[in-house]
């Protein structure tokens, strides 16, 4: 009963979001609330929702100050020189911009954290896309592809969870799939080239006036270099995880505010200008907390995991790693990372062992799809809404545009993993 309720809840949610019948905010809250009431969990509904809200609160806080920080930096002109240089190099060619987006994302995503990757890349590149008239959905999609495959690094979420769930180290889990990851990176660059070629066909090589580089003097020049140093220090702290992300962004924003908007009037103007973007992203994150809190607390997610394992026939044991790899990406739209890696993967590993297989192969298969290529598409992942909120792209449009390309990344990596004998 719980499993059926869980699958029905997910199905109704996805149908409503993809069909645009209601907003994501309503779908994330009303659908699980209705499911909890119908399944007899109405008495504890408030506590379940509160537990979910507490879980996502740090993410919401971090996003609030991160959006404000980068919005302030954009207003201060920090990215203007970089935008000018890239425009001069690209000469108005959308193809070069799209491939450059993939390369920048692959580099920034080495930190293994999707949230900071989205914040940095979208902040830097969105002005360029707007200047050329390129679609924001292309920016969100290509960043999604690059960040997804780089999320496989051992300090990233999927691999770390898989190692913890199966009690394996990176030599057993990550190193064997490194060739597959390299193949995934190559696929991302190919996909970016093809998407960029489509944009070039649509727009042509746009003739733009870049203009002369503005030479700053005096206080403006000093402020620019202080902003640059502060941002580099922030990025360094993010990469080395010297503190919680929400703390880093809070402190950085306060310092940046004192440097760039010291007056009360200036600060109020900043808040008024960017309040919409902040609220739009944060309320959806809190709604996602309600969604996952209810599905987890009612036991629906656990029941769904058990029901999936129960339908696997004995003859399918040998194919379990391949099935796990291929199905992992679509399942990222249904299961949260914790639910999949701590709930589904251990059961699948035990099942594979019972059939005489290697449990580690299940862990390797899991990181080829679930929350790697899938996490920037999943409505159950808070960082997805950072990407979409900053690029101002609808989640349904985003999923329809990039799902096939993302699934292609999983298929390419799975094929290479099979050829190298690690599955």
């Amino acid at each position: 009963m719980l499993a059926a309720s869980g699958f029905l809840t997910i199905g109704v949610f996805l149908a409503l979001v993809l069909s645009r019948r209601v907003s994501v905010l309503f779908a994330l809250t009303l659908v699980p609330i209705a499911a909890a009431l119908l399944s007899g969990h109405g008495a504890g509904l408030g506590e379940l929702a509160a537990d979910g809200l507490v879980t996502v609160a740090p993410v919401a806080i971090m996003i609030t100050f991160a959006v404000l920080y980068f919005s302030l930096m954009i207003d201060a002109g920090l990215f203007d020189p970089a935008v000018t240089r890239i425009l001069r190099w690209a000469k108005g060619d959308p193809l070069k911009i799209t491939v450059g987006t993939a390369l920048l994302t692959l580099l920034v995503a080495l930190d293994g954290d999707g949230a900071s990757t989205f914040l940095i890349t979208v902040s830097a590149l969105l002005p360029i896309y707007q200047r050329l008239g390129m679609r924001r959905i292309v920016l969100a999609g290509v960043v999604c592809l690059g960040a997804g495959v780089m999320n496989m690094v051992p300090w990233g979420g999927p691999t770390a969870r898989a190692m913890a769930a199966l009690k394996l180290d990176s030599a057993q889990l990550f190193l064997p799939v490194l060739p597959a990851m390299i193949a995934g990176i190559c696929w991302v660059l190919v996909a970016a080239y093809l998407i960029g070629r489509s944009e070039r066909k649509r727009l042509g090589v746009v003739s733009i006036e870049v203009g002369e580089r503005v030479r700053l003097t005096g206080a403006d020049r000093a402020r620019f270099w202080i902003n640059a140093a502060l941002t580099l220090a922030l990025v360094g702290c993010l990469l080395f995880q010297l503190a919680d992300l929400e703390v880093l962004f809070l402190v950085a924003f306060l310092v940046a505010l004192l440097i760039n908007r010291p007056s009360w009037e200036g600060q109020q103007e900043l808040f008024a200008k960017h309040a919409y973007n902040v609220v739009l992203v944060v309320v959806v994150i809190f709604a996602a907390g309600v969604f996952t809190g209810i599905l987890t607390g009612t036991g629906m997610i656990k029941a769904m995991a058990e029901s999936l394992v129960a339908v696997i026939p004995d003859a399918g044991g040998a194919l379990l790693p391949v099935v796990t790899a291929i199905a992992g990406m679509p399942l990222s739209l249904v299961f949260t990372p914790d639910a999949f890696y701590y709930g589904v993967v251990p059961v699948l590993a035990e099942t594979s062992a019972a059939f005489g297989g290697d449990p580690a192969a299940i862990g390797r298969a899991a990181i080829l799809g679930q929350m790697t290529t899938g996490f920037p598409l999943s409505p159950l992942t808070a960082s997805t809404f950072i990407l979409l909120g900053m690029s101002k792209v609808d989640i349904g449009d985003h999923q329809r545009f990039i799902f096939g390309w993302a699934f292609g990344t999983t298929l390419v990596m799975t094929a290479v993993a099979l050829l190298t004998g690690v599955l």
Side-chain angles (χ1 to χ4, degrees):
M1 177 63 181
L2 275 179
S5 298
F7 284 119
L8 181 61
T9 302
I10 296 292
V12 171
F13 165 76
L14 292 176
L16 289 174
V17 170
L18 294 176
S19 66
R20 296 185 180 180
R21 293 188 180 275
V22 299
S23 68
V24 175
L25 176 64
F26 277 95
L28 282 171
T29 52
L30 295 182
V31 173
I33 288 173
L37 292 173
L38 293 174
S39 60
H41 292 86
L45 186 58
E47 183 178 352
L48 297 178
D51 289 341
L53 289 171
V54 170
T55 301
V56 300
V59 177
I61 295 169
M62 181 270 293
I63 291 172
T64 298
F65 291 105
V67 171
L68 288 173
Y69 178 84
F70 284 108
S71 297
L72 175 57
M73 287 298 149
I74 290 173
D75 290 349
L78 177 63
F79 299 106
D80 288 351
V83 170
T84 301
R85 288 180 181 275
I86 293 175
L87 286 173
R88 288 184 182 278
W89 169 76
K91 293 182 173 62
D93 189 347
L95 173 59
K96 290 183 178 181
I97 295 297
T98 309
V99 174
T101 299
L103 289 170
L104 178 62
T105 304
L106 291 169
L107 179 63
V108 174
L110 278 170
D111 69 342
D113 180 70
S116 59
T117 298
F118 299 153
L119 289 164
I120 294 168
T121 53
V122 175
S123 295
L125 294 171
L126 183 58
I128 298 174
Y129 276 70
Q130 292 175 328
R131 183 76 175 273
L132 292 180
M134 295 175 65
R135 294 174 295 168
R136 295 190 303 271
I137 200 170
V138 171
L139 171 60
V142 174
V143 171
C144 162
L145 293 176
V149 71
M150 292 305 293
N151 207 31
M152 288 177 63
V153 294
W155 50 90
T159 305
R161 286 184 178 93
M163 289 191 294
L166 300 181
K167 297 178 175 61
L168 301 172
D169 58 31
S170 61
Q172 296 169 294
L173 194 69
F174 173 72
L175 291 182
V177 298
L178 187 56
M181 181 180 176
I182 294 173
I185 291 173
C186 294
W187 167 256
V188 168
L189 294 175
V190 170
Y193 174 84
L194 295 175
I195 294 171
R197 189 173 65 177
S198 176
E199 280 294 277
R200 176 199 275 173
K201 184 177 180 181
R202 186 178 71 88
L203 295 171
V205 177
V206 182
S207 177
I208 57 174
E209 292 294 332
V210 178
E212 294 296 326
R213 186 176 65 179
V214 177
R215 297 186 179 277
L216 301 176
T217 58
D220 289 337
R221 181 179 180 83
R223 189 180 300 111
F224 172 85
W225 286 113
I226 292 173
N227 285 335
L230 177 62
T231 302
L232 288 175
L234 173 60
V235 172
C237 292
L238 292 172
L239 292 175
F240 290 102
Q241 300 180 4
L242 299 183
D244 292 335
L245 294 184
E246 59 269 23
V247 175
L248 290 174
F249 276 113
L250 169 61
V251 173
F253 172 67
L254 293 176
V255 174
L257 199 61
L258 290 174
I259 294 170
N260 296 276
R261 299 289 183 97
S263 69
W264 170 254
E265 292 78 10
Q267 293 174 9
Q268 290 298 103
E269 180 186 355
L270 175 74
F271 294 137
K273 181 178 180 181
H274 300 290
Y276 174 80
N277 292 336
V278 174
V279 172
L280 185 66
V281 178
V282 171
V283 295
V284 174
I285 290 172
F286 279 123
V290 173
F291 188 90
T292 55
I294 292 175
L295 263 65
T296 301
T298 56
M300 291 182 189
I301 287 182
K302 181 180 180 181
M304 284 190 288
E306 293 173 348
S307 67
L308 285 176
V309 173
V311 301
I312 299 174
D314 293 345
L319 297 175
L320 202 53
V322 178
V323 172
T324 301
I326 294 176
M329 189 268 179
L331 287 178
S332 67
L333 302 179
V334 179
F335 291 102
T336 62
D338 289 337
F340 185 79
Y341 284 103
Y342 298 129
V344 178
V345 169
V347 181
L348 292 175
E350 287 295 326
T351 305
S352 179
F355 290 134
D358 181 8
I362 296 294
R364 297 179 198 126
I367 66 174
L368 293 177
Q370 214 283 343
M371 304 316 293
T372 49
T373 56
F375 93 93
L377 282 164
S378 174
L380 306 181
T381 307
S383 58
T384 299
F385 296 103
I386 301 177
L387 173 63
L388 300 180
M390 295 193 68
S391 56
K392 299 181 179 64
V393 172
D394 178 77
I395 186 171
D397 294 339
H398 175 62
Q399 290 175 332
R400 283 188 290 269
F401 177 76
I402 209 65
F403 183 91
W405 295 107
F407 196 33
T409 309
T410 290
L411 295 179
V412 168
M413 293 194 297
T414 301
V416 173
L418 284 171
L419 290 174
T420 54
V422 300
L423 293 186

